[in-house]
Amino acid sequence: MSRGTSGGTGGGLLVAGTTSDAGKSVVTAGICRWLVRQGVKVAPFKAQNMSLNSFVTREGAEIGRAQAMQAQAARVEPTALMNPVLLKPGSDRSSQVVLMGKPVGEMSARGYHGGRQEQLLGTVLECLAELRGTYDAVICEGAGSPAEINLRRTDIVNMGIARNARLPVLVVGDIDRGGVFASFFGTVALLSPEDQEFVAGFLVNKFRGDVSLLEPGLDMLENLTGRRTYGVLPFQHGLGIDEEDGLRVSLRGSVRESEVSSPVGEDILRVAVCAIPLMSNFTDVDALAAEPGVVVRFVDRAEELVDADLVVVPGTRGTVRALEWLRERGLADALARRAAQGRPVLGICGGFQILGEHIEDEVESRAGHVDGLGLLPVRVRFAREKTLTRPVGEALGEPVEGYEIHHGVAQVTGGEPFLDGCRVGEIWGTHWHGSLESDGFRRAFLREVAAAAGRRFVPAADTSFGSLREEQLDRLGDLIEEHADTDALWRLIESGAPTGLPFIPPGAPA
């Protein structure tokens, strides 16, 4: 399979799911990697993403990290076109709306679904059309479930975009949760006849066991719905790409269940990540988890910091709220004790701000003046304009790259310079996300941590985080190539949903 750009509208596919976390992001990335290995020029797309894990493109646009990783799977540079609407929750009821990579304000869920979302449909369709005019294929990811009947009127990410752009829909179900046949059938049966015309079939994800035992059920499902199953992907550990939400490390799955490679030196290193509210870009610790002999876990109790060789205070969409949470749970006092004992702490972005002397916030929390933990000589003032940059620099004698996403402007009044932040003893702070993905710098930093912790830990000389990511994306491509009907998938992408698909009652309620 090999195609050049035809100059017309490229093919497309929408990967929907029976639920959130069914595997849409992973399947989308896998299809992108499979296609690009076949010589197809492909791009990912997600009209609307809700996530606190975001990334900064080279043009300074903020998009979801999942779409950035899908772009890497497709071997293309991520752009704002690939995720035109990003919602960053600030509470259970409101989110910051990021449009074409730039924040345009806070909005309640009611306000967004009450009209604003429909207004964005034109922008979303224009972005998709531009991508389809440039690429041979665009693999779109839905959000949640397409059968969320309470939100269908304002939907711009599932069936709303599938119908407007005439995209075939592949519904992914997580069989590891159970109930996958009911979920597949119910998803189709709750869609209107017009929506059902675009639902081409199903893809089973995370199957364990003998596929022959599943096949009778797949045949029954096809008889019931008139729609075939395009593949059964086996369960494999450590295949999640950068997650939208949830406490996960993408290279190893759940951190609390991670299997740590044998250390190169005599000791392991224990890393505790404070699971603060509205935690953002917790993928920063993925690179640490990829190191042989490094154990990473998320913690929410002060006693869990006691045996940690390094504590990370990560980014957050609610710096003041996270600061209050640390104090309420005794973690703030535990961090102060670590500082007094000369034991390593790393603050990243919001975590860096928390470690400072005080915060002036009339933007995010509107709390005004708030005292920080006072562990670093830093004063933070929140600006209405968001900083979105891709800095490059040097630290610990090694080149470093990162990206910045923050409203807080830091005034550093002392300490040693460290990635545009500072260091005092073994307390480190920076606004740079992603810095630990720079292999030489990560090794140098871990050597410093090991020395301060008194551990005989030695970083592996050959761990390449970039190579591990590529291997992971290739594994996703292998899953699609080996366990899906790729010829049938390509026909969907190129020609759309089959004609004459039957209607499954009752359909969407009036």
Side-chain angles (χ1 to χ4, degrees), residues 14-18 143-153 155 157-163 167-172 182-202 225 227 497 501-510:
L14 177 70
V15 179
T18 56
S145 162
E148 290 167 352
I149 54 180
N150 56 316
L151 301 177
R152 177 60 185 91
R153 182 179 61 82
D155 170 44
V157 66
N158 290 309
M159 299 312 300
I161 196 166
R163 276 177 60 182
L167 293 172
V169 178
L170 183 69
V171 180
V172 178
S183 297
F184 281 146
F185 184 87
T187 296
V188 179
L190 280 176
L191 300 178
S192 68
E194 295 80 8
D195 284 351
Q196 287 191 23
E197 289 178 15
F198 293 91
V199 179
F202 314 106
T225 66
R227 291 157 174 86
L501 291 170
F503 169 68
I504 307 302

Side-chain angles (χ1 to χ4, degrees), residues 37-358:
R37 293 194 309 206
Q38 307 305 311
V40 177
K41 188 179 178 185
V42 59
F45 178 79
K46 185 162 186 173
Q48 171 195 293
N49 196 348
M50 177 173 281
S51 178
L52 289 174
N53 278 340
S54 57
F55 181 77
V56 179
T57 66
R58 293 205 180 279
E59 71 266 32
E62 185 179 8
I63 66 172
R65 276 197 66 96
Q67 280 61 66
M69 288 300 297
Q70 289 162 355
Q72 185 175 342
R75 296 178 181 152
V76 295
E77 189 67 32
T79 73
L81 292 173
M82 298 172 184
N83 181 206
V85 182
L86 173 63
L87 305 178
K88 303 192 72 175
S91 70
D92 291 340
R93 296 189 176 186
S94 68
S95 295
Q96 182 181 65
V97 181
V98 179
L99 178 62
M100 295 304 295
K102 304 296 180 183
V104 294
E106 296 280 334
M107 186 165 290
S108 68
R110 180 179 292 275
Y112 185 68
H113 290 286
R116 176 61 167 165
Q117 189 177 33
E118 289 177 284
Q119 297 169 11
L120 297 174
L121 179 60
T123 299
V124 162
L125 291 172
E126 288 171 7
C127 291
L128 178 56
E130 186 170 342
L131 289 173
R132 294 181 78 182
T134 306
Y135 293 89
D136 299 331
V138 179
I139 308 303
C140 307
E141 180 187 344
S145 162
E148 290 167 352
I149 54 180
N150 56 316
L151 301 177
R152 177 60 185 91
R153 182 179 61 82
T154 57
D155 170 44
I156 64 170
V157 66
N158 290 309
M159 299 312 300
I161 196 166
R163 276 177 60 182
N164 275 281
R166 305 197 67 77
L167 293 172
V169 178
L170 183 69
V171 180
V172 178
D174 179 356
I175 197 170
D176 197 48
R177 293 182 174 189
V180 73
F181 293 116
S183 297
F184 281 146
F185 184 87
T187 296
V188 179
L190 280 176
L191 300 178
S192 68
E194 295 80 8
D195 284 351
Q196 287 191 23
E197 289 178 15
F198 293 91
V199 179
F202 314 106
L203 186 75
V204 176
N205 192 29
K206 301 182 185 178
F207 178 73
R208 307 174 191 247
D210 185 346
V211 176
S212 66
L213 298 177
L214 184 67
E215 288 171 348
L218 301 180
D219 292 339
M220 294 177 200
L221 182 66
E222 184 170 1
N223 290 334
L224 286 167
T225 66
R227 291 157 174 86
R228 58 165 297 184
T229 297
Y230 285 78
V232 178
L233 307 186
F235 185 99
Q236 291 190 19
H237 288 284
L239 285 183
I241 63 171
D242 290 13
E243 303 288 340
E244 293 183 356
D245 291 296
L247 294 182
R248 299 180 71 89
V249 165
S250 65
L251 287 176
R252 295 185 182 276
S254 173
V255 180
R256 293 183 183 274
E257 299 172 0
S258 65
E259 295 181 7
V260 179
S261 302
S262 300
V264 175
E266 296 180 46
D267 290 340
I268 63 171
L269 275 186
R270 296 175 177 86
V271 178
V273 185
C274 296
I276 55 181
L278 297 174
M279 182 167 49
S280 62
N281 288 70
F282 52 82
T283 48
D284 283 332
V285 300
D286 282 13
L288 295 178
E291 282 286 346
V294 176
V295 181
V296 178
R297 67 186 191 275
F298 288 95
V299 304
D300 56 10
R301 299 190 299 270
E303 56 268 27
E304 294 180 288
L305 302 190
V306 174
D307 67 344
D309 301 306
L310 169 67
V311 173
V312 177
V313 187
T316 173
R317 248 284 273 155
T319 301
V320 171
R321 178 177 167 186
L323 182 56
E324 294 170 349
W325 182 88
L326 289 168
R327 287 181 167 133
E328 290 168 358
R329 302 185 73 89
L331 288 157
D333 290 338
L335 289 169
R337 287 193 294 272
R338 289 186 67 89
Q341 296 163 358
R343 303 178 67 199
V345 176
L346 171 64
I348 303 174
C349 199
F352 168 42
Q353 298 165 8
I354 285 169
L355 298 180
E357 295 170 348
H358 71 79

Side-chain angles (χ1 to χ4, degrees), residues 353-369:
Q353 298 165 8
I354 285 169
L355 298 180
E357 295 170 348
H358 71 79
I359 298 165
E360 290 288 341
D361 182 11
E362 299 293 347
V363 176
E364 191 175 78
S365 68
R366 297 181 177 86
H369 179 96

